[in-house]
Amino acid sequence: MTVETQARLRDVLHTVAPHKDLPADDGDLFATGVLDSFATIELIVALERTFHLTLPNEELTLQNFQTVSSIAALVDRLRT
């Protein structure tokens, strides 16, 4: 994953969950309360708009959205 992707992703997460403190890149976004089911849907829409991509249904897994690092890796993988 690229540093640029992680930085842009953190900006997106701050938009989706503005009153939450983001954990380290490998911290669990669900366990820390940053993401819940509603925020995850908002995040998916924001990711598609920000990174100009479509998230296939098979990529919508807990593992892909659990951490900043896993989301950044997903975005980079879909952009190549």
Side-chain angles (χ1 to χ4, degrees):
M1 85 207 89
T2 66
V3 173
E4 176 190 347
T5 301
Q6 281 187 292
R8 289 177 68 194
L9 174 56
R10 285 188 162 278
D11 289 341
V12 170
L13 283 165
H14 280 294
T15 302
V16 170
H19 303 295
K20 304 286 185 172
D21 293 326
L22 295 181
D25 289 344
D26 60 347
D28 190 316
L29 295 168
F30 293 95
T32 57
V34 173
L35 290 180
D36 57 19
S37 58
F38 184 72
T40 302
I41 298 302
E42 287 186 77
L43 175 61
I44 290 166
V45 172
L47 290 173
E48 291 183 332
R49 288 182 180 159
T50 300
F51 294 102
H52 307 287
L53 53 84
T54 299
L55 291 163
N57 288 341
E58 61 270 10
E59 297 290 357
L60 302 179
T61 66
L62 177 62
Q63 293 79 15
N64 282 339
F65 286 85
Q66 199 147 16
T67 68
V68 171
S69 293
S70 65
I71 300 169
L74 171 66
V75 168
D76 283 345
R77 189 170 66 248
L78 292 174
R79 291 176 76 195
T80 58

